[in-house]
Amino acid sequence: MIGWMRHVHRPLLLVAGTVACGGLTGPDVVWPERDLRVTTAVSRATLRQWDTLTVTLAVHNAGRVAYDIVTDRCVDAFVVTTTDGSVVGPGPIICSLIGTPLDRISVAPGASIVLRRTWLATGAQGGHAASLASREYLVRAHVPVLPRRRSGEFLRVTGEPSAVLVLPR
């Protein structure tokens, strides 16, 4: 029993010591937010309420390990906000993911992928579409990366936003 406990305590002390000395480091720790370069482009800079916008997300892996990018359309890959940060889209996605594996693609070191998504220029308020106010909005990549956090949320990688001006219908 004592020999078994000696093996259990050593790894735990090592992890606690590593965190106490300034965070996790070493060749086995990966940082998708450092390694993945994400850009966001929109099909047009001006659109009208209820128009469709094409959002192009390019992901480049500048790291040393491959990352699994979730490409499933049931998981948002971008976010639309007001200039002060209030989220207005995309709206709710109706999907059944029970028992279904998520679509994903592995991006090797040095490789890139491009994802294209569409957004109907409406506000996602309480799960119902509503007209957006006429103003500027920011469209930003919010690309999900596996593995998920312990909370069940995906790791997310973002990039600089693209601005769009929404005009009245």
Side-chain angles (χ1 to χ4, degrees), residues 53 55 75-83 85-93 117-133 137-142 156 164 166:
L53 181 74
V55 179
V75 179
D76 290 330
F78 67 95
V79 64
V80 182
T81 65
T82 59
T83 54
S86 298
V87 176
V88 297
I93 301 171
R117 300 290 186 262
T118 57
W119 175 58
L120 182 61
T122 63
Q125 299 173 351
H128 301 288
S131 292
L132 288 174
Y137 294 91
L138 301 176
V139 180
R140 181 187 308 267
H142 196 64
R156 296 284 185 156
V164 294
V166 177

Side-chain angles (χ1 to χ4, degrees), residues 28-96:
D28 295 334
V29 177
V30 295
W31 302 97
E33 60 275 2
R34 292 183 191 169
D35 293 344
L36 298 176
R37 310 289 186 260
V38 182
T39 58
T40 307
V42 293
S43 57
R44 51 194 166 151
T46 305
L47 64 152
R48 298 208 175 272
Q49 294 167 339
W50 295 89
D51 282 353
T52 300
L53 181 74
T54 300
V55 179
T56 302
L57 310 164
V59 180
H60 175 74
N61 185 351
R64 296 180 296 176
V65 298
Y67 289 96
D68 285 343
I69 306 298
V70 177
T71 58
D72 201 291
R73 292 191 179 270
C74 289
V75 179
D76 290 330
F78 67 95
V79 64
V80 182
T81 65
T82 59
T83 54
D84 65 3
S86 298
V87 176
V88 297
I93 301 171
I94 300 171
C95 291
S96 175

Side-chain angles (χ1 to χ4, degrees), residues 77-163:
F78 67 95
V79 64
V80 182
T81 65
T82 59
T83 54
D84 65 3
S86 298
V87 176
V88 297
I93 301 171
I94 300 171
C95 291
S96 175
L97 292 176
I98 299 171
T100 305
L102 292 172
D103 293 337
R104 62 180 146 200
I105 188 165
S106 183
V107 182
S112 299
I113 62 165
V114 174
L115 304 173
R116 286 190 179 75
R117 300 290 186 262
T118 57
W119 175 58
L120 182 61
T122 63
Q125 299 173 351
H128 301 288
S131 292
L132 288 174
S134 297
R135 65 184 289 181
E136 183 178 69
Y137 294 91
L138 301 176
V139 180
R140 181 187 308 267
H142 196 64
V143 177
V145 181
L146 290 175
R148 294 181 181 197
R149 296 180 189 271
R150 287 186 181 154
S151 64
E153 291 292 316
F154 293 106
L155 296 170
R156 296 284 185 156
V157 179
T158 62
E160 291 298 313
S162 291

